Amino acid sequence: MSGNQVIYKPFEWERLRIASQFNAKLMDHLRSFVKAGISTEEINQIVHEFTVSHGHTPATLGYMGFPKSCCISINEVVCHGIPDETVLKEGDIVNVDITSIVDGWYGDQSETFLIGEVTDEARKLVQVTFDSLFLAINAIRPGSSVIEIGEVIYNFATELGYGVVRQYQGHGIGREFHTDPGIPHYPVSGSERDLLLPGMCFTIEPMLNAGTWRTVEDRSDGWTVRTKDSKLSAQFEHTILMTEEGPEILTLTEKGPQPGHQF
């Protein structure tokens, strides 16, 4: 194990739960707005106003210079899409990635939304990405190694012909946005030594591409990441607390897709 992994005490677990559940409520609040005709900047404003009005802080705003209160990634954008005047249209798939700071604690999650009627290809990609997240969550237990997450996602996705993004990964989270361990979504040598012990909090956030796993970063803004072949990409993310009984999903929503959901 690397030395920078944080193991939270049981009395701190409730702080993690509170931050994550606020973030989940924010996602549910957004749900009715994410549809054709709205701009990604308008969604960003809704995220910002809901968060601030509850006395909390959007974690991405100003983080390493990121200019907005959430990331919104449409179609071939893999992650870190910057909200702007782009309007969602019928047939798009769009990932909304939100992170909240609640009394110094972080909650982090993302969902990919289907905008109206989408192609069968897009629907299947979103389904497989969603399923891969829960396969990974269900595969781990106290003492599991991080590599088990990567193996489950990679084997499931590649067998179905999808590319698993390698340049971006899940991460430890809690009092800080990003801590050890890194959580790759494909098997990485060395990650078998990172063990998931009770009290560790981390994200699992697979990004699957309809084509190649390779990505390119937009040099004009330094943030937006696209698939190298311009094919579709989807992502889902939850914040997970490892307990003695197993993984606890901290960011489950009341109104969003639950484990086993069919898109």
Side-chain angles (χ1 to χ4, degrees):
M1 288 179 64
S2 60
N4 297 322
Q5 295 169 346
V6 181
I7 296 179
Y8 293 103
K9 302 284 192 293
F11 74 88
E12 297 174 302
W13 295 6
E14 194 57 29
R15 296 293 189 181
L16 293 163
R17 293 183 180 115
I18 290 169
S20 294
Q21 272 305 296
F22 171 77
N23 208 64
K25 287 185 175 67
L26 169 58
M27 187 68 83
D28 274 340
H29 176 69
L30 291 176
R31 205 168 294 288
S32 64
F33 297 100
V34 183
K35 57 189 178 184
I38 194 170
S39 73
T40 56
E41 175 56 31
E42 287 173 306
I43 297 170
N44 177 71
Q45 285 299 318
I46 295 164
V47 169
H48 187 85
E49 288 165 14
F50 186 87
T51 306
V52 172
S53 69
H54 284 78
H56 307 315
T57 304
T60 61
L61 184 60
Y63 180 76
M64 296 180 68
F66 191 80
K68 301 291 180 174
S69 295
C70 63
C71 300
I72 303 180
S73 303
I74 305 171
N75 295 333
E76 79 285 357
V77 177
V78 176
C79 59
H80 304 160
I82 301 174
D84 59 16
E85 299 311 312
T86 303
V87 173
L88 300 184
K89 63 184 187 302
E90 185 95 2
D92 285 340
I93 61 172
V94 56
N95 180 268
V96 180
D97 190 341
I98 53 174
T99 310
S100 303
I101 309 172
V102 177
D103 298 326
W105 295 83
Y106 287 73
D108 187 9
Q109 74 199 100
S110 83
E111 283 186 29
T112 297
F113 292 83
L114 308 180
I115 307 302
E117 286 300 314
V118 303
T119 64
D120 290 344
E121 176 196 26
R123 188 179 302 276
K124 185 182 178 189
L125 171 66
V126 171
Q127 185 71 59
V128 171
T129 308
F130 181 80
D131 291 345
S132 75
L133 169 59
F134 284 96
L135 283 171
I137 293 169
N138 292 335
I140 57 176
R141 62 202 179 282
S144 286
S145 66
V146 167
I147 201 169
E148 294 173 49
I149 293 171
E151 288 171 342
V152 166
I153 293 170
Y154 182 83
N155 291 342
F156 177 65
T158 55
E159 190 170 315
L160 294 168
Y162 296 107
V164 181
V165 171
R166 301 183 187 183
Q167 295 93 332
Y168 306 92
Q169 61 182 9
H171 51 88
I173 192 169
R175 286 186 179 275
E176 296 178 49
F177 200 161
H178 299 95
T179 66
D180 287 337
I183 311 287
H185 303 113
Y186 70 107
V188 174
S189 178
S191 62
E192 72 277 3
R193 294 192 295 272
D194 290 330
L195 303 183
L196 299 170
L197 304 177
M200 293 179 66
C201 191
F202 51 93
T203 70
I204 304 177
E205 46 184 295
M207 289 155 261
L208 302 189
N209 298 344
T212 179
W213 59 267
R214 297 181 186 278
T215 64
V216 291
E217 186 178 282
D218 189 327
R219 291 183 179 177
S220 67
D221 64 33
W223 284 102
T224 306
V225 177
R226 293 182 171 84
T227 57
K228 190 166 186 182
D229 56 10
S230 298
K231 292 187 177 179
L232 294 174
S233 184
Q235 180 187 21
F236 285 89
E237 173 185 16
H238 274 307
T239 296
I240 311 295
L241 172 67
M242 184 59 78
T243 74
E244 289 89 348
E245 287 73 44
E248 178 182 337
I249 304 173
L250 300 185
T251 43
L252 275 180
T253 59
E254 290 184 5
K255 301 175 184 176
Q258 304 298 308
H261 178 81
Q262 296 297 304
F263 289 88

